[in-house]
Every structure is written in structure tokens, then in C-alpha cells.
């Protein structure tokens, strides 16, 4: 009897940018571009569709927290001139937004493989009604 290997944790492999199936190959071809397939196990990365989720999460959480907490605190506590914000706050904001993009995208891609998520499909049955609009039309 052959034993199936345990699925790899998306957190461990994704953050390091490793293949979700074998854990050895790299999933990135550049900074954020995904490779078409794994060079070790041949996994086709066509299943992956993180779209703009990575940028949304980073901008929603990291950027807002850093902007509000750090930059506003610097302004209130120190009242520096504009050039201090340009030299201090701007690089911190850019690093806080750019550095987490790759690990987060890797985690999202590997989570899609781990949980076997696929794109949703709308059934082409002509007799099916759209439930979202059917109740609104009855007025």
C-alpha cells in the first residue's frame, strides 16, 4: 500500500515562494510574476489566480496602519518640516507596501492549491433565475 504524502503547508511554502506540491521549485519568475510551471515537479501554475488580492490586503492593512500610526505620530509628536517626511516617512511607507507583496502572493497562490480552489462558473441553464434580482423585481 502506498502512502500519499502529506500536503505541504501554504504558510511554510508560500511565504518562501516555493512550489505548493513539491516544496522545492520556485513559483516566481521575477518579483511578482508567476512561473508557468514548477521546474522540479512540473506543476502547472494555471490554477493560480491571486489577481489583485495581494495589493488589496497590503494596502488595506499595512499601508493604512503605517500611514496612520507612524506618519501621523511623527507629525503630531515632532512637527517636522516637509523634507523630514519625504526622507523618513515616504521610504518607510514604500517599504511597508512593497516588501510584503511577494510573501503574501506566494501564500495566496499556495492556499489556492492547498484548498483546491477554482474559478466559479455560472451555469448556462436557461431556466435558472438570478436569485439576486428576482426578489427585487417584485415590488
Amino acid at each position: 500500500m502506498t502512502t500519499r504524502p502529506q500536503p505541504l503547508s501554504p504558510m511554510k511554502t508560500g511565504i518562501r515562494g516555493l512550489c505548493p506540491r513539491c516544496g522545492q521549485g520556485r513559483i516566481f519568475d521575477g518579483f511578482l510574476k508567476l512561473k508557468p510551471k514548477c521546474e522540479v515537479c512540473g506543476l502547472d501554475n494555471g490554477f493560480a489566480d491571486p489577481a489583485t488580492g495581494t495589493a488589496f490586503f497590503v494596502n488595506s492593512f499595512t499601508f493604512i496602519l503605517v500611514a496612520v500610526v507612524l506618519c501621523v505620530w511623527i507629525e503630531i509628536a515632532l512637527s517636522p518640516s516637509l523634507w523630514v517626511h519625504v526622507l523618513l516617512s515616504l521610504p518607510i511607507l514604500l517599504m511597508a507596501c512593497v516588501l510584503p507583496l511577494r510573501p503574501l502572493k506566494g501564500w495566496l497562490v499556495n492556499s489556492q492549491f492547498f484548498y483546491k480552489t477554482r474559478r466559479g462558473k455560472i451555469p448556462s441553464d436557461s431556466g435558472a433565475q438570478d436569485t439576486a434580482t428576482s426578489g427585487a423585481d417584485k415590488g
Side-chain angles (χ1 to χ4, degrees):
M1 182 167 102
T2 60
T3 60
R4 289 186 77 190
Q6 291 291 335
L8 300 172
S9 165
M11 186 66 80
K12 290 180 181 176
T13 55
I15 289 179
R16 294 185 297 170
L18 300 175
C19 174
R21 182 163 63 188
C22 69
Q24 296 177 8
R26 301 273 175 202
I27 61 171
F28 291 110
D29 188 21
F31 184 64
L32 289 176
K33 183 182 176 195
L34 291 176
K35 287 184 177 181
K37 66 179 188 173
C38 176
E39 70 269 4
V40 176
C41 69
L43 174 68
D44 181 21
N45 287 329
F47 69 89
D49 185 27
T52 58
T54 307
F56 172 78
F57 289 126
V58 169
N59 285 329
S60 293
F61 299 108
T62 307
F63 182 76
I64 292 171
L65 287 174
V66 170
V68 171
V69 173
L70 182 69
C71 299
V72 172
W73 177 81
I74 289 173
E75 179 62 35
I76 292 172
L78 305 174
S79 297
S81 61
L82 182 61
W83 67 269
V84 173
H85 276 294
V86 171
L87 292 177
L88 185 64
S89 302
L90 188 61
I92 291 172
L93 283 172
L94 289 174
M95 285 190 306
C97 289
V98 172
L99 293 180
L101 284 175
R102 187 175 170 141
L104 187 59
K105 185 170 184 173
W107 174 67
L108 286 173
V109 167
N110 285 18
S111 293
Q112 287 177 342
F113 179 82
F114 185 82
Y115 294 109
K116 297 173 180 63
T117 58
R118 300 291 181 251
R119 287 183 185 217
K121 293 183 180 175
I122 298 174
S124 61
D125 185 66
S126 61
Q129 275 189 332
D130 184 14
T131 58
T133 59
S134 63
D137 293 339
K138 298 176 186 177

